[in-house]
Amino acid sequence: MLIDMHIHPIFYGPICGDETEVAFRGDTFGVWKQGPMEFDELFAEWDVCGLTRAALLPLDVTTTVGGWVVSNDQVEALCKLHPDKFYGFASVDPHRPDALEVLERAFCQQGLRGLKLNPSKQRFDPADERMEPIYALCERENKPILFHAGLSWEPDAPAKYAHPLAFEEVAIRHPGLRFCLAHFAWPWVREMAMLMIKYPNVYTDTALLYVDSPEEQMMELFTKDMGPMWFERCFPRQVMFGSNGPRFRAFKLKRALDKVPMRDFARENLYWKNALRFLSGEEV
Amino acid sequence: MVVLKTIRHLSKDVEEYFNITQQVHDIVRESGVKNGLVAVITAHTTTGILVNEALPCVEADIAEMLEKTVPLEAPYLHAHFLPTYGATSNNSQGHLKSVLTGNHCLFPVIDGQIVCGGAQDIYLAEFDGPQLRKVYVEVMGE
C-alpha cells in the first residue's frame, strides 16, 4: 500500500471546466506549462508505483489573492467521484471573518478529513493567538492540519512564516493536535528533526525535490541532511510519503525512496501507516 | 494536397514501445493522397519515433542498448527546479533517449499505400511515461 499525503489537484480534469479559474490557480500556485489531466492518465501514474490513496489539498487565499487554489467544494466533489481513492482536506483563509463557519461546514457537512494551511501564502504567523480558535476546532473535531513549511515556490510567499521554529509554540500549546510540517521544511531539515524528536504530534512528509534528481535528493535527505539512522531511531512514526503533485511525480519519489536503506517497519510506516495514524489519530 | 491526422496514446508505463504501424497505414490509405510522402512526428521531447522489426527480442535489445547508453542515474544537469514550470525537471534520461531515437520517420507513398520493407514497423517510444501522447501523421502529395 502507498498513500500520497500531498497532492494539489489543480489540474484534475473534472474541476478544470473554467479556463480562467485554472489559469488563476496556476499563477497563484506558481505552476505553468501543465494542463488538465483526466483520471485515466492520473491513475496510470498511480499504478506505476502502487499508489492506492492520496490526500487532496485545496487552498483558500480569499483575502490575500482573491480566490481559491482549488476550493473545499471542489475537493468534496472529487472525493465523491472516487471515495475509495481520495482523502479530501479543507482549507480556510484565517483572515476571513467567517473562517470558523467555513471550517465547521467542511468538517461536519462536507466530510473533509483535515485542514491545509500555508502560512507563507496566506500570510499568518502560525503561533499568532488569532489562530487559536482554528486549532481548537481541529482538536475538537479530531482533524489533523497539514501546514506548508520551508521553501515555497509560490509567488509572494515569504519563507519566514514557514520556518519550523515558527510552529513550536503550536506544538507546546496543543499536544493533542496532530500537524504536519510538509516538505520536511526544507532546507531546515535539522530543525524539523528537532521538532519531531521533541513533539510526537508533529509530522512531516517527503514532498521535496528542489535541487537534485529524486534519487540524489532522497538519499541526501535520509542519509546526509539527517544521520542515516535518525528516521528509524528517533521519529519512525512521523514521516509520511508525499509527492507535492503536480510539482513532482509520485512514482519518481517512490522509486528513489525504495533505494534508501531502511528497515521494513520504517518503510511501511513511511509509505502508509503514518498517514493513516495522522488522519485518524488511532493506532494502525 | 496535405492531410494531417493525430494519433493519441496514453502510455501506461515509464518506458514503452507502442506499435503504431497499422494506424499510420490506415491514415495514409484514408487520406486520398495517391503519390507523395508520409511524415510521422512526435509532439514531445521525451518520446521517440522508431522504425524497426516488431519482435520482442529486438524491442528488448533496443531498450537495453538505450538504458546502457543513457542510464537513469547519472549527474545530469537537467535535474533541478525549473522556475518557468514551477516543477522539477528530472527527466534527462527521457530527453536523451529521445535524441538517440529521433522524433520522426518518413515513408514514400505510391498508389495510396506506404512503401516499406516487410520488417519495418513504426513505434511511438515512450521514455517518460505514463503520459497522454500525441503523434502527428502528415500525408503530403497528389
Side-chain angles (χ1 to χ4, degrees):
Chain A
M1 196 188 322
L2 181 66
I3 299 173
D4 187 340
M5 286 300 292
H6 201 125
I7 296 268
H8 304 276
I10 293 171
F11 299 118
Y12 278 27
I15 58 166
C16 286
D18 183 335
E19 280 182 26
T20 307
E21 184 185 350
V22 174
F24 172 83
R25 286 181 204 155
D27 290 339
T28 305
F29 186 71
V31 65
W32 300 278
K33 302 186 183 182
Q34 295 192 44
M37 296 172 77
E38 297 306 322
F39 282 135
D40 56 350
E41 188 173 4
L42 292 161
F43 294 147
E45 184 167 326
W46 284 35
D47 290 343
V48 165
C49 63
L51 188 55
T52 44
R53 299 199 69 152
L56 304 184
L57 310 176
L59 190 65
D60 181 3
V61 282
T62 305
T63 65
T64 49
V65 191
W68 294 72
V69 181
V70 180
S71 69
N72 293 350
D73 291 349
Q74 288 167 329
V75 167
E76 181 190 14
L78 290 170
C79 290
K80 282 182 176 165
L81 291 173
H82 288 285
D84 57 329
K85 292 183 184 294
F86 299 139
Y87 300 113
F89 271 57
S91 185
V92 70
D93 183 335
H95 301 294
R96 60 189 295 167
D98 60 348
L100 286 180
E101 291 161 45
V102 170
L103 199 52
E104 187 130 15
R105 175 172 176 265
F107 290 159
C108 302
Q109 294 174 35
Q110 297 181 284
L112 300 179
R113 303 287 301 269
L115 172 63
K116 167 66 196 292
L117 294 171
N118 184 332
S120 296
K121 190 71 181 175
Q122 294 174 311
R123 295 288 185 129
F124 68 90
D125 173 357
D128 192 317
E129 290 288 341
R130 285 176 295 184
M131 293 302 296
E132 284 303 312
I134 289 177
Y135 299 151
L137 177 57
C138 290
E139 218 169 340
R140 188 190 82 202
E141 296 296 329
N142 188 30
K143 304 289 187 186
I145 302 176
L146 192 147
F147 289 102
H148 171 86
L151 180 154
S152 171
W153 275 100
E154 295 169 23
D156 196 21
K160 68 178 181 180
Y161 297 108
H163 190 287
L165 295 185
F167 299 89
E168 187 172 15
E169 291 284 355
V170 183
I172 292 169
R173 287 186 217 142
H174 297 277
L177 175 65
R178 299 179 304 286
F179 65 88
C180 170
L181 305 184
H183 314 283
F184 242 102
W186 195 91
W188 298 299
V189 173
R190 293 199 171 214
E191 289 85 345
M192 186 68 238
M194 179 274 283
L195 287 183
M196 288 192 289
I197 289 167
K198 190 169 180 183
Y199 306 103
N201 56 321
V202 177
Y203 290 64
T204 190
D205 69 34
T206 61
L208 65 147
L209 186 50
Y210 298 121
V211 290
D212 285 315
S213 74
E215 277 75 7
E216 289 165 338
Q217 179 121 40
M218 289 301 109
M219 201 63 80
E220 283 158 9
L221 174 66
F222 280 91
T223 67
K224 294 175 186 168
D225 295 341
M226 298 188 291
M229 297 298 293
W230 291 10
F231 170 50
E232 288 175 86
R233 284 177 176 155
C234 304
F235 35 82
R237 291 158 58 88
Q238 292 158 266
V239 183
M240 302 183 285
F241 178 83
S243 73
N244 201 17
R247 293 205 198 281
F248 318 131
R249 298 184 78 181
F251 80 88
K252 294 186 179 183
L253 279 171
K254 168 67 164 41
R255 183 185 69 203
L257 284 164
D258 284 344
K259 296 171 185 170
V260 176
M262 65 181 77
R263 289 176 171 82
D264 289 346
F265 85 92
R267 197 176 299 282
E268 270 193 345
N269 283 354
L270 175 67
Y271 287 166
W272 61 275
K273 282 187 174 176
N274 290 348
L276 292 182
R277 193 183 317 104
F278 178 73
L279 286 164
S280 70
E282 293 170 10
E283 281 307 317
V284 179
Chain B
M1 181 176 178
V2 174
V3 175
L4 177 67
K5 297 286 181 184
T6 303
I7 296 171
R8 288 180 170 78
H9 172 65
L10 173 59
S11 59
K12 296 288 181 64
D13 214 336
V14 179
E15 184 162 318
E16 182 182 287
Y17 296 85
F18 184 65
N19 193 323
I20 57 172
T21 310
Q22 194 57 51
Q23 291 179 73
V24 174
H25 281 249
D26 290 346
I27 288 169
V28 169
R29 254 195 310 277
E30 292 160 11
S31 70
V33 173
K34 293 299 175 194
N35 297 298
L37 203 63
V38 58
V40 181
I41 307 164
T42 175
H44 311 282
T45 56
T46 53
T47 62
I49 299 294
L50 291 176
V51 176
N52 223 294
E53 189 164 14
L55 292 171
C57 52
V58 174
E59 287 179 15
D61 284 343
I62 291 170
E64 202 172 290
M65 176 273 292
L66 289 172
E67 194 67 26
K68 278 182 192 163
T69 310
V70 187
L72 174 66
E73 293 187 56
Y76 303 115
L77 285 176
H78 184 59
H80 62 96
F81 202 86
L82 295 171
T84 51
Y85 280 74
T88 294
S89 49
N90 282 311
N91 56 356
S92 228
Q93 187 190 39
H95 284 292
L96 297 180
K97 286 185 178 181
S98 173
V99 165
L100 293 177
T101 55
N103 79 328
H104 69 280
C105 70
L106 292 170
F107 283 100
V109 174
I110 300 291
D111 292 332
Q113 303 279 338
I114 287 183
V115 178
C116 64
Q120 284 190 302
D121 279 277
I122 307 166
Y123 288 94
L124 165 64
E126 171 63 79
F127 298 127
D128 192 29
Q131 291 198 58
L132 183 61
R133 299 301 203 173
K134 286 191 295 188
V135 175
Y136 301 122
V137 180
E138 185 158 305
V139 194
M140 300 158 282
E142 55 187 15

